[in-house]
Amino acid sequence: RDLPGGAPGLTADDYFSRNEEFRVWLRLRKNTSLDELSSAASRESFAAFVKQWNAGRLEEHYYTGIPAEMREATKTKHRWGFVSRMSEEDAHRLATLNDEVEGDTRTLRQARKAGWSAD
């Protein structure tokens, strides 16, 4: 079965590499977050996520890239106190760094998908 965006099928081994998509799915579909689940429960939930992913039953953004605002809104229910005390300049620097890391991660995923290996 062809998945949206040419995405590959998943297995249990993709737990860490698809953490972002899984975290968003947990929040939007199950109204929970990883920090509320035990390790065993998170693995069980990931198995359900993999099943839906491989069947192509998820919205396209799971396969092609989670929008930034969706990622931020679903990270955790906890609100860190330092965030409210952060200066606008520091918040901008943090957001810029976050964007750079996410861009590098996407580039690496695309390179691996194209057959590149760091080994």
Side-chain angles (χ1 to χ4, degrees):
R1 174 172 174 83
D2 290 334
L3 297 174
L10 300 183
T11 69
D13 293 337
D14 294 304
Y15 180 80
F16 294 105
S17 66
R18 292 299 176 170
N19 180 270
E20 180 175 84
E21 295 87 348
F22 175 50
R23 183 176 30 79
V24 170
W25 177 83
L26 273 176
R27 171 64 65 216
L28 298 179
R29 294 279 182 99
K30 304 296 183 183
N31 195 30
T32 192
S33 62
L34 280 174
D35 55 349
E36 296 175 298
L37 298 176
S38 68
S39 180
S42 67
R43 292 292 183 164
E44 287 176 27
S45 293
F46 187 72
F49 171 76
V50 166
K51 193 173 187 177
Q52 288 194 10
W53 173 288
N54 290 339
R57 291 189 297 229
L58 302 174
E59 290 85 355
E60 188 169 345
H61 60 253
Y62 288 100
Y63 303 97
T64 59
I66 304 293
E69 61 276 0
M70 191 178 287
R71 286 191 307 267
E72 291 305 313
T74 59
K75 280 196 175 171
T76 181
K77 286 184 176 180
H78 182 76
R79 295 292 169 231
W80 296 96
F82 75 89
V83 173
S84 63
R85 296 184 303 271
M86 190 180 304
S87 72
E88 191 171 318
E89 181 181 346
D90 286 342
H92 177 72
R93 275 192 255 164
L94 184 59
T96 300
L97 179 61
N98 184 52
D99 290 345
E100 289 173 5
V101 169
E102 288 174 359
D104 290 347
T105 301
R106 273 192 301 279
T107 300
L108 182 57
R109 280 185 180 164
Q110 290 169 348
R112 285 185 175 157
K113 186 176 176 184
W116 177 83
S117 173
D119 299 331

